[in-house]
Structures are given as C-alpha cells and as structure tokens.
Amino acid sequence: MTDVKFKKLALIGIGLIGSSIARSVKAHGLADEIVCAARTADTRRIALELGIVDAAYENPVDAVKGADLVILCTPIGTYGPLAATIGPALEAGTILTDVGSVKEAVVKAVTPHLPDYVDFIPGHPVAGTEKSGPAAGFAELFIGRWFILTPTPKSSHEGLEKLTAFWTAMGSKVETMDPAHHDLVLAITSHIPHLIAYNIVGTADDLEDVTQSEVIKYSAGGFRDFTRIAASDPTMWRDVFLHNKDAVLEMLGRFSEDLTALQRAIRREDGDTLFEIFSRTRAIRRQIIDAGQETAEPDFGRIHSPDDE
Amino acid sequence: MTDVKFKKLALIGIGLIGSSIARSVKAHGLADEIVCAARTADTRRIALELGIVDAAYENPVDAVKGADLVILCTPIGTYGPLAATIGPALEAGTILTDVGSVKEAVVKAVTPHLPDYVDFIPGHPVAGTEKSGPAAGFAELFIGRWFILTPTPKSSHEGLEKLTAFWTAMGSKVETMDPAHHDLVLAITSHIPHLIAYNIVGTADDLEDVTQSEVIKYSAGGFRDFTRIAASDPTMWRDVFLHNKDAVLEMLGRFSEDLTALQRAIRREDGDTLFEIFSRTRAIRRQIIDAGQETAEPDFGRIHSPDDE
Ligand SMILES: NC(=O)c1ccc[n+]([C@@H]2O[C@H](COP(=O)([O-])OP(=O)(O)OC[C@H]3O[C@@H](n4cnc5c(N)ncnc54)[C@H](OP(=O)(O)O)[C@@H]3O)[C@@H](O)[C@H]2O)c1
Ligand SMILES: NC(=O)c1ccc[n+]([C@@H]2O[C@H](COP(=O)([O-])OP(=O)(O)OC[C@H]3O[C@@H](n4cnc5c(N)ncnc54)[C@H](OP(=O)(O)O)[C@@H]3O)[C@@H](O)[C@H]2O)c1
C-alpha cells in the first residue's frame, strides 16, 4: 500500500463533509497537521472547540500555505472563485481535490485558475446525511461507501495513487470515472431522488383540503422518509441542480414519462401493469442490501419500542 | 377506561399487520383466544409455529365462529368477497373491523354483505414496514402510531369506544375521520410517496447509459431510501391504487404540476426559486420529529460503524 501520510491537510469549508474528513484523518493519523478555512467565526470556533483542526482561518489563502493536500468542502458554486483565490498560493506538487456532488462543472470552473504545477484531482464521496455544519460530522461517515475519482487529463499518476490510498484508509471503496458519466450516474442515484423528495414535501405543504397537521400526524405511512432527504441543505442542493442541469433534466424527463405510464395504468384500472411494475423493483432493494450499501433491517432499523413515543 | 377484553379475536389474513396485531393482543392480554384464517398452508403453519395464534383455519367461516372481534387483514381487493363469505356466519353484536389502507372503497365493498346485527367499524393503522408475511410482524409496530377509525352511520357508539380502547391498549393514538377525507390524507402521506418511489426505482432499472450495477453501487446518495418503500408488497399496493384511484390521481396531478415548476426553474437556472423551495421543506421534517412520528437521528439512525460493511 502507498504510504499515505500528508504533512498538512487544508480543508476549505468545515461542514458535514469537511468535519467528517477531519475526524477520520485524525483517527487514522493521515496528516501531521489539519487546518481549515471557514467563512463565519462561529464555524471556526466550533471546529476548534471540537478539537478536529489545529487551526482555523477566515482567509483560505492562509489555510493552504504549506499544505500538500487541499480539499474543497464548500458548496459547488463557490469552487470557481475559491480556486481563483487560492490558486496562486498553492505550492508545487500540492494535491488539490474536492468533494463536490457534481464533477464536470467543477472541472470547468476550477481548472482555469490553477498553476500548472498543482495536481488537481476531482473527487466525490458518495456518503452523507441530511445534517449540516461541523458538529454534524463523524469519523465513520465514509466507511463502506464509495469515493469516485474523476481525474482530469493532467492529474498525475502518483497523485491518483496517493488520493486512492487516502480515501481507502478512511474506509471508502474507490472507483475512477469520467466526470460526465459521474454526473449522469449521480443524477439518477442522488439528484433526482432529492428533487422529487423536495417536490412532494412542497406539494404536501401547499394543499388546501389536507391540513399541514394531518400531513405531519400521518407521515408514518411513507411520507416521512421523503422529508429526511428534503431536509438537506438548500444551498448545497441549489448548487447541485444549477451545475448538473443537463443530466438532471434528462433523467427527469424519463422519470416523468414513466410516471405518466403509471398514471394511465391507475386511470384505466390496469391492475396487471401495476403489479408487474411493483414486483420488478423489489429485486433492486435486495441487491443494494447484498452490496453492503444498506441495512437489511425493516424500516431502516428505526427503533420501535415503548420509549419510541 | 372501557374494559377491553374480547372473548375471541379472529384475524382474517395473518401477514405483517395481522401477525403484529396477534403479537400485541397476546402481549397485552386483550383476548382470551386468538385465531386466524389464511389461504396457504405454509402461512397457517408459520403462524402456529410462532405461537401467535391458538388455531389457524383455511376457511374464514371456521375462524369467525363465536368471535366477538373480527379483523380483516388481507389485501383490500379481497374484502368484498370475504365479507360475502363470512357475513352470514357472524354473530349478533360482533365487531367487524379492518386495517385496509383505503377506506371509502372498503365501506362500499363490505357493507352490502353484512347482516344488520353486525357492528362494522372500518379502521386503518398508520404503521407498517416494507416486509410481508407472519414472520415480519412485531408487537411494538403500533406504538406511538395513529389508528384512524372511519365509522359508518351504522357503527355503534359502544363498538367505537371498545375498538378505541383496543387500539389504545396496543399503544396507538386513535383518531376518527370521514372515509373520503381519510383517503385524501393518505393519498398524499402514503400512496403518492409509494407511487413515486416505485416509479423512480423503475426508471433507474430501465436506463441504458447507466448500468444497474452503478445504480446499486452509488445508491447511498439518496436512491436507496426510495428502494425501501419500493420493496413493499406489490399485491397490497396494486389494490391500494385501484381502490383509491380518484384521490391518488388528484394528488398526482398536483405533484406533477409542482415538478414542472421545479423543472422550469432548473432549465432557467433560477437559483433563487430553487433555494426558496428547498428551504421551506426543512420545517416539515422538524415538525414530524417533534410530533414523535420520526427519529431525530441523522440518516434514520442507520448504523455507521466498521462492522457496517
Ligand atoms: N451533505 C452531503 O450529503 C454531501 C455528500 C457528498 C458530497 N457533498 C458535497 O460536500 C460539499 C459540502 O457539503 P456539506 O454537507 O459538508 O455542507 P455544510 O455542512 O453546509 O458545510 C458547508 C461549509 O462550506 C462553507 N461555506 C458555505 N457557503 C460558503 C461560501 N459562499 N463561501 C465560503 N464558504 C462557504 C460553510 O462555512 P460557514 O459555516 O462558515 O458558512 C461550511 O463550512 C458540497 O460541495 C457538497 O456537494 C455533500
Ligand atoms: N404493510 C403495511 O405497511 C400496511 C400498513 C397499514 C395497513 N395495511 C393493510 O393491511 C392489509 C394487509 O397487509 P400486510 O402488510 O399485513 O400484508 P401481508 O404481510 O402480505 O399479508 C397478507 C395476508 O393476507 C393473505 N392474503 C393475501 N391474498 C389473499 C387472498 N387473495 N385471499 C385471502 N387471503 C389473502 C395472506 O395469506 P397467504 O400468506 O396465505 O397468501 C396473508 O396472510 C392490507 O389491506 C393493507 O392495506 C398494510
């Protein structure tokens, strides 16, 4: 295994993802020094109080000084301006990577601002929760989850190996993919699910004939699962949809076509078609559980007990 | 509190819901005798082996003999024929109730088959998981969950009180509602969430440019939450959509309208509209958690640990 110890890790942004990286890097001894940059004083204070970084700066230029690994952990829309700011301050051979949920737009936004001697290797951990901020992170977030590397033609072979070893050490399984293909895969496995979750929760919020308190009371019938996803950070998700527009619109078109077919089957009372569609989808759940991407416990293993009330 | 002990409880159907009732009734001593009817020999054998019923019959007529409480726990489409079969065998004063996820169609299907001296009080426990069959049930399923009574004009006051006490003893919170309103509320809180979960899992299964194995690998980005719902029993859900057609089509129309607006915002790169919609939905999650209908743990409290792999 490649030796995977960095001198100085600079995290730009220290929310759910950044702070989980900090915790995991600390737990596994993957860097001698961990620093972060964050916009607001409160975030910097909390990160320091949690003891997950050695220093916290307001200016990202201060954070990246002398760093051999820099990870962008802010919303995607900030990556271009951030790259312009820190680009000149990065040292030769420094690996610059990110955790953005969209990749093609990130490559386009970041690359032009970087000196040639910076080793830019975009990436995306397919792991997360609906919570935000430095206190929401935890060291185990990446265990058993995929990390997708989407190298550019200029990413170095050694950098790729080192970054692979880094994420592997944090418990991830690492895969390499073309940025455009990444965006298509994530459009269906993540972006569309978030969009329709936001949408149904919005629809339910707007009804006149069903009150909001009824929606809340009877949410255990299925709705509450969607509210978890729809509680995700609005800034992050706005940026995802703005930056993965084409793939999202493409997948959304297919989703809507299929929904129209289901609607027609209900209108025509075509029970056989409904049964056939509802039967097919069970197999996928089984495969996700078998692939270790999900718990087999019913109801996600939510606790059902007298104390549950 | 009303004295809530039945002489003999007959469960028609002993799957997830029926077997959970059997377990809970046993745990709380709510009936002297519990019997069930089930179509297949295997189901009867499992129910007996689990020790959750005192007897299991193939013919529902045998099960309801001498019962003072009969609960229909089969898919909704079977309720009409079942009522025709057991109607003449029911005794005077017997309470007949059900657990069907749709209420207006159930009232219409069952009522014509019942002698006047039977006390028919339809109901619906808003609780469940994606699993099926007698082994999937558990006594705690109804704790802290709502049970909705939708009495008909002929349901007796004493019957209503007794059934309320029965479900309260099993840990449920009981509410009374008009059947048509029930179907509208559940269309948005349960039926549409199931429909769009089935739909997106179907869409993902059909893509040419993203492989099924990619969908499975990267499902942790949000998709896997939908597969849980889409793993629910196809027979049950076919029947729900066939029997709640009007309310489902009505709510689906609103969902699609809202989705078109979101689609337009993405196409026009209207970040402010996206941000505004994505911000509104967080509040609903908070209220569901505060109402005790959901765990506050991130990611549903799914376990994240080295053993998780
Ligand atoms: N959440 C997930 O499930 C998930 C999964 C995989 C990848 N990602 C990616 O991870 C990145 C961060 O997500 P997160 O969940 O960690 O978000 P988060 O918890 O909201 O944290 C965001 C961090 O970025 C900073 N930030 C926000 N807006 C900024 C701005 N305009 N300029 C500079 N800094 C800013 C915040 O600082 P302040 O606190 O000072 O505002 C905070 O430190 C995103 O690019 C997202 O695509 C997220
Ligand atoms: N699952 C939920 O989340 C949930 C929540 C609230 C209400 N409900 C309602 O509860 C009822 C039962 O659901 P469940 O989840 O308990 O289903 P389940 O686990 O699949 O059990 C269904 C039971 O009905 C029997 N059955 C199936 N088809 C039948 C037929 N054509 N004729 C006679 N018996 C038949 C089955 O017997 P065999 O095993 O012998 O086939 C089994 O005992 C449905 O009406 C549903 O609307 C379900």
Side-chain angles (χ1 to χ4, degrees), chain A residues 175 181 189-190 203 214 217 221 223-225 228 230-231 245 258 267 281-282 293-294 300 302, chain B residues 130 175 181 189-190 203 214 217-218 221 223-225 228 230-231 245 258 267 281-282 293-294 302:
Chain A
E175 189 69 84
H181 188 64
T189 55
S190 177
T203 302
E214 285 174 324
K217 271 164 92 166
F223 183 78
R224 61 178 172 165
D225 288 356
R228 183 188 82 79
K245 175 177 153 176
D258 292 345
R267 197 180 297 284
T281 50
R282 275 191 148 173
Q293 292 297 305
E294 177 62 300
F300 303 112
R302 277 187 186 111
Chain B
E130 68 280 17
E175 189 69 83
H181 188 64
T189 55
S190 177
T203 302
E214 285 175 323
K217 273 164 90 167
Y218 307 118
F223 183 77
R224 62 178 173 166
D225 288 356
R228 183 188 83 80
K245 175 178 154 176
D258 293 345
R267 198 180 296 284
T281 51
R282 276 191 146 173
Q293 293 296 306
E294 177 61 299
R302 276 187 187 112

Side-chain angles (χ1 to χ4, degrees), chain A residues 266-267 269, chain B residues 240-250:
Chain A
I266 294 173
R267 197 180 297 284
E269 302 181 12
Chain B
V240 166
F241 292 111
L242 294 178
H243 292 86
N244 198 22
K245 175 178 154 176
D246 294 340
V248 165
L249 290 177
E250 160 72 20

Side-chain angles (χ1 to χ4, degrees), chain B residues 3-280:
Chain B
D3 179 28
V4 59
K5 179 117 174 181
F6 289 92
K7 254 179 13 253
K8 179 178 167 182
L9 163 63
L11 297 161
I12 312 303
I14 186 94
L16 169 70
I17 301 294
S19 79
S20 294
I21 295 176
R23 287 172 171 92
S24 181
V25 165
K26 198 149 217 159
H28 295 98
L30 303 176
D32 292 328
E33 191 188 354
I34 308 174
V35 305
C36 75
R39 198 171 47 158
T40 61
D42 238 27
T43 302
R44 295 194 295 277
R45 184 183 50 74
I46 295 168
L48 287 169
E49 279 175 11
L50 289 168
I52 58 178
V53 293
D54 301 305
Y57 303 94
E58 183 173 3
N59 188 343
V61 170
D62 295 330
V64 304
K65 248 176 230 152
D68 48 351
L69 178 61
V70 176
I71 311 182
L72 303 179
C73 302
T74 51
I76 297 164
T78 66
Y79 285 7
L82 267 176
T85 306
I86 63 171
L90 296 173
E91 304 197 352
T94 292
I95 295 178
L96 174 67
T97 184
D98 75 309
V99 295
S101 310
V102 176
K103 299 271 58 95
E104 202 172 25
V106 163
V107 173
K108 277 197 190 129
V110 170
T111 312
H113 302 293
L114 300 179
D116 255 355
Y117 51 73
V118 169
D119 200 3
F120 178 43
I121 313 176
H124 174 211
V126 186
T129 77
E130 68 280 17
K131 308 275 178 179
S132 302
F138 49 99
E140 300 78 17
L141 179 60
F142 309 112
I143 294 175
R145 299 281 91 92
W146 289 93
F147 183 83
I148 306 178
L149 283 166
T150 61
T152 74
K154 285 166 63 188
S155 304
S156 84
H157 183 70
E158 307 78 61
L160 261 173
E161 271 201 346
K162 207 162 172 198
L163 208 52
T164 300
F166 177 78
W167 280 98
T168 305
M170 292 200 287
S172 287
K173 304 182 272 190
V174 180
E175 189 69 83
T176 300
M177 219 183 261
D178 172 70
H181 188 64
H182 166 278
D183 292 352
L184 208 55
V185 173
L186 271 291
I188 191 72
T189 55
S190 177
H191 307 169
I192 296 293
H194 277 80
L195 194 71
I196 62 183
Y198 277 123
N199 192 63
I200 192 176
V201 177
T203 302
D205 198 25
D206 273 348
L207 300 172
E208 320 84 45
D209 25 21
V210 176
T211 68
Q212 211 189 76
S213 100
E214 285 175 323
V215 169
I216 288 159
K217 273 164 90 167
Y218 307 118
S219 60
F223 183 77
R224 62 178 173 166
D225 288 356
F226 289 73
T227 65
R228 183 188 83 80
I229 294 195
S232 300
D233 186 61
T235 306
M236 164 181 165
W237 284 98
R238 176 199 61 199
D239 282 7
V240 166
F241 292 111
L242 294 178
H243 292 86
N244 198 22
K245 175 178 154 176
D246 294 340
V248 165
L249 290 177
E250 160 72 20
M251 291 298 173
L252 193 53
R254 294 168 188 236
F255 172 84
S256 296
E257 259 176 47
D258 293 345
L259 193 60
T260 302
L262 263 176
Q263 188 171 15
R264 190 184 315 113
I266 294 173
R267 198 180 296 284
R268 294 183 179 172
E269 302 180 11
D270 177 358
D272 292 343
T273 297
L274 294 177
F275 186 85
E276 193 264 312
I277 296 173
F278 299 167
S279 300
R280 265 205 309 154

Side-chain angles (χ1 to χ4, degrees), chain A residues 14-17 39-40 43 73-75 78-79 99 101 125 127-128 133 236:
Chain A
I14 187 95
L16 169 70
I17 300 294
R39 196 171 46 158
T40 61
T43 302
C73 302
T74 51
T78 65
Y79 284 8
V99 296
S101 309
M236 164 181 165

Side-chain angles (χ1 to χ4, degrees), chain A residues 142-203:
Chain A
F142 309 111
I143 295 176
R145 299 280 92 92
W146 289 93
F147 183 83
I148 306 178
L149 283 166
T150 60
T152 74
K154 283 164 66 189
S155 305
S156 83
H157 183 70
E158 307 78 63
L160 262 173
E161 271 202 346
K162 206 162 174 199
L163 208 51
T164 300
F166 177 78
W167 281 97
T168 304
M170 292 199 288
S172 287
K173 303 181 272 190
V174 180
E175 189 69 84
T176 300
M177 219 183 261
D178 172 71
H181 188 64
H182 166 280
D183 292 353
L184 208 56
V185 172
L186 272 290
I188 191 72
T189 55
S190 177
H191 308 168
I192 296 294
H194 277 80
L195 195 72
I196 63 184
Y198 278 122
N199 193 62
I200 193 176
V201 177
T203 302

